[in-house]
Amino acid sequence: MRVAIAGAGAVGRSIAAELVAAEHQVMLIERLAAHFEPHTVEQAEWVLADACELSSLEDAGMQLCDVVIAATGDDKVNLVVSLLAKTVFAVRRVVARVNDPSNEWLFTEAWGVDVAVSTPRMLAAMVEEAVSVGDLVRLLTLRQGQANLVELTLPEDTPLAGHPVRDVHLPRDAALVTILRGGRVIVPQPDDPLEPGDELLFVASANVEDEIRTALGY
C-alpha cells in the first residue's frame, strides 16, 4: 500500500518505520523544519509541507495514497487532514489519532475518519484486559462506532469448559473472530472446544454486548 502520514513527530516516525518494515510505500508530511529528519526513516519519502493546505497535499500526491494517517499532536489538524483526505482525494482508508479523549466524539465519518485511535482509551482498555476475567472489555472502536473489538477471558469455573464453539449462541450482530490460548492464536471452528483461560475476541455492535455476556453465561 501507499500510505501518507501527517505528522513526523515520535508517533508518526514510529508508524512509518513499522510500515516501511512491512514493505509499504510511506510518505511523511511534516510542516515544522525542526521535525523534518529524513535520516530517522530513510526509506520513507519526506515532504516538508502543511498537511492542512490543499495545494501541498496535491503536490505531495495524496490522491495516489491508499491510506492516510493523521498522526499529529493537534486534534484540529488531524480532523482537517482526515476531511481533506476523504472528501477531496477520495482516500479509501483514513486513520486519525485522538490526542484528547474529550474530542473523540468529533472523529466520525462526518470528518472523514474511518478509524479513530485514542491512546489514553487504548491504554485503559489494555489495563482492563490484563486484570479482568469474566468481564467484557472493549479494546477498539471500528467504523465510527458501528462496531467494537471486545474481549472476554473465560474464568476457571466457566460453564463453557469443554463445550464446542457451536454451543455459544451469539446475537446476530456479533462474531467470535479469535481465541487466544497460551501462545496460540486459534481461528475458531464450530467443533473447537473452549477452555478456562481462553481469551475470546469478538467483533460486535455496541448494542449487543450485553447479549454476548448472556451467551457466555454472565
Coordinates of all heavy atoms in Angstrom, one line a residue, residues 93 107-110 113-116 138 140-150 173-174 202-209:
R93 N -9.0 4.7 3.0 CA -9.0 4.4 4.4 C -8.3 5.6 5.1 O -7.1 5.9 4.8 CB -8.2 3.1 4.7 CG -8.3 2.6 6.1 CD -9.6 1.9 6.3 NE -9.6 1.1 7.5 CZ -10.7 0.6 8.1 NH1 -11.9 0.9 7.5 NH2 -10.6 -0.1 9.2
F107 N -14.4 12.6 15.9 CA -13.7 11.8 15.0 C -14.6 10.7 14.4 O -14.6 9.5 14.7 CB -12.5 11.1 15.6 CG -11.4 12.1 15.9 CD1 -11.4 13.1 16.9 CD2 -10.2 12.1 15.1 CE1 -10.4 14.0 17.1 CE2 -9.2 13.0 15.3 CZ -9.3 13.9 16.3
T108 N -15.5 11.2 13.5 CA -16.5 10.3 12.9 C -16.4 10.4 11.4 O -15.6 11.1 10.8 CB -17.9 10.7 13.4 OG1 -18.2 12.1 12.9 CG2 -18.0 10.8 14.9
E109 N -17.4 9.7 10.8 CA -17.5 9.7 9.3 C -17.7 11.1 8.8 O -17.3 11.4 7.6 CB -18.6 8.8 8.9 CG -18.6 8.5 7.4 CD -19.7 7.5 7.0 OE1 -20.5 7.1 7.9 OE2 -19.7 7.0 5.9
A110 N -18.4 11.9 9.5 CA -18.7 13.3 9.1 C -17.4 14.1 8.8 O -17.3 15.0 8.0 CB -19.5 14.0 10.1
V113 N -13.2 10.3 9.0 CA -12.4 9.3 9.8 C -13.0 7.9 9.7 O -14.2 7.8 10.0 CB -12.3 9.8 11.2 CG1 -11.5 8.8 12.1 CG2 -11.7 11.2 11.3
D114 N -12.3 7.0 9.3 CA -12.7 5.6 9.3 C -12.4 4.9 10.6 O -13.2 4.1 11.1 CB -12.0 4.8 8.1 CG -12.5 5.3 6.8 OD1 -13.7 5.3 6.6 OD2 -11.7 5.6 5.9
V115 N -11.2 5.2 11.1 CA -10.8 4.6 12.4 C -10.1 5.7 13.3 O -9.2 6.3 12.8 CB -9.8 3.4 12.2 CG1 -9.3 2.9 13.6 CG2 -10.4 2.3 11.4
A116 N -10.7 5.9 14.5 CA -10.1 6.8 15.4 C -9.3 6.0 16.5 O -9.9 5.1 17.1 CB -11.2 7.7 16.0
R138 N -13.9 -3.6 26.1 CA -13.9 -3.0 24.8 C -12.4 -2.6 24.5 O -11.9 -1.7 25.2 CB -14.8 -1.8 24.7 CG -15.0 -1.2 23.3 CD -16.0 -0.1 23.3 NE -17.3 -0.6 23.7 CZ -18.4 0.2 23.8 NH1 -18.2 1.5 23.6 NH2 -19.5 -0.3 24.1
L140 N -11.2 -1.8 21.1 CA -11.1 -0.9 20.0 C -12.4 -0.6 19.3 O -13.3 -1.5 19.3 CB -10.1 -1.5 18.9 CG -9.7 -0.6 17.8 CD1 -8.8 0.5 18.2 CD2 -8.9 -1.5 16.8
T141 N -12.6 0.7 18.9 CA -13.8 1.1 18.2 C -13.5 1.1 16.7 O -12.5 1.7 16.3 CB -14.3 2.4 18.7 OG1 -14.7 2.3 20.1 CG2 -15.6 2.9 17.9
L142 N -14.4 0.5 15.9 CA -14.2 0.4 14.5 C -15.4 1.1 13.8 O -16.5 1.1 14.3 CB -14.2 -1.1 14.1 CG -13.2 -2.0 14.8 CD1 -13.5 -3.5 14.5 CD2 -11.8 -1.6 14.5
R143 N -15.1 1.5 12.6 CA -16.1 2.1 11.7 C -17.0 3.1 12.4 O -18.2 3.1 12.4 CB -17.0 1.0 11.1 CG -16.3 0.0 10.2 CD -15.6 0.6 9.0 NE -16.6 1.2 8.1 CZ -16.3 2.0 7.1 NH1 -15.0 2.2 6.8 NH2 -17.2 2.5 6.3
Q144 N -16.3 4.1 13.0 CA -17.0 5.2 13.6 C -18.0 4.8 14.7 O -19.1 5.4 14.8 CB -17.7 6.2 12.6 CG -16.8 6.7 11.5 CD -16.8 5.8 10.3 OE1 -17.9 5.3 9.9 NE2 -15.7 5.6 9.7
G145 N -17.7 3.8 15.4 CA -18.5 3.3 16.5 C -19.6 2.3 16.1 O -20.4 1.9 16.9
Q146 N -19.6 2.0 14.8 CA -20.6 1.0 14.3 C -20.3 -0.4 14.9 O -21.2 -1.2 15.0 CB -20.7 0.9 12.8 CG -21.1 2.2 12.2 CD -21.0 2.2 10.7 OE1 -21.0 1.1 10.1 NE2 -21.0 3.3 10.0
A147 N -19.1 -0.7 15.2 CA -18.7 -2.0 15.8 C -17.5 -1.8 16.7 O -16.8 -0.8 16.6 CB -18.4 -3.0 14.6
N148 N -17.3 -2.7 17.6 CA -16.2 -2.7 18.5 C -15.5 -4.1 18.5 O -16.1 -5.1 18.3 CB -16.7 -2.4 20.0 CG -17.4 -1.1 20.1 OD1 -16.9 -0.1 19.6 ND2 -18.6 -1.1 20.6
L149 N -14.2 -4.0 18.9 CA -13.5 -5.2 19.1 C -13.5 -5.4 20.7 O -13.0 -4.5 21.4 CB -12.0 -5.1 18.6 CG -11.1 -6.3 18.9 CD1 -11.6 -7.5 18.1 CD2 -9.7 -6.0 18.6
V150 N -14.1 -6.5 21.1 CA -14.2 -6.7 22.6 C -13.6 -8.0 22.9 O -13.5 -8.9 22.1 CB -15.7 -6.6 23.0 CG1 -16.3 -5.2 22.8 CG2 -16.6 -7.7 22.3
D173 N -25.5 -9.6 15.5 CA -24.5 -8.6 15.2 C -23.2 -8.8 16.0 O -22.6 -7.8 16.4 CB -25.1 -7.2 15.4 CG -26.2 -6.9 14.4 OD1 -26.2 -7.4 13.3 OD2 -27.1 -6.1 14.8
A174 N -22.9 -10.1 16.2 CA -21.6 -10.4 16.9 C -21.0 -11.6 16.3 O -21.7 -12.5 15.8 CB -21.9 -10.6 18.4
F202 N -14.2 -10.8 20.1 CA -15.4 -10.6 19.3 C -15.4 -9.3 18.5 O -14.9 -8.3 19.0 CB -16.7 -10.6 20.1 CG -16.8 -11.9 21.0 CD1 -16.2 -11.9 22.3 CD2 -17.6 -12.9 20.5 CE1 -16.4 -13.0 23.1 CE2 -17.7 -14.1 21.3 CZ -17.1 -14.1 22.6
V203 N -16.0 -9.3 17.3 CA -16.4 -8.0 16.7 C -17.9 -7.9 16.8 O -18.6 -8.9 16.4 CB -15.9 -8.0 15.2 CG1 -16.5 -6.7 14.5 CG2 -14.4 -8.0 15.1
A204 N -18.4 -6.8 17.4 CA -19.8 -6.7 17.7 C -20.2 -5.3 17.7 O -19.4 -4.4 18.0 CB -20.1 -7.4 19.0
S205 N -21.5 -5.1 17.4 CA -22.1 -3.7 17.6 C -22.3 -3.5 19.1 O -22.5 -4.4 19.9 CB -23.4 -3.6 16.8 OG -24.3 -4.5 17.3
A206 N -22.2 -2.2 19.5 CA -22.3 -1.9 20.9 C -23.6 -2.4 21.6 O -23.6 -2.8 22.8 CB -22.1 -0.4 21.1
N207 N -24.7 -2.4 20.8 CA -26.0 -2.7 21.4 C -26.2 -4.1 21.7 O -27.2 -4.5 22.3 CB -27.1 -2.1 20.6 CG -27.1 -2.7 19.2 OD1 -26.2 -3.4 18.8 ND2 -28.2 -2.4 18.5
V208 N -25.3 -5.0 21.3 CA -25.4 -6.4 21.6 C -24.4 -7.0 22.6 O -24.3 -8.2 22.9 CB -25.4 -7.3 20.3 CG1 -26.5 -6.9 19.4 CG2 -24.0 -7.3 19.7
E209 N -23.6 -6.1 23.2 CA -22.6 -6.5 24.1 C -23.2 -7.3 25.3 O -22.6 -8.2 25.8 CB -21.7 -5.4 24.5 CG -20.8 -4.9 23.4 CD -19.9 -3.7 23.8 OE1 -19.9 -3.3 25.0 OE2 -19.2 -3.2 22.9

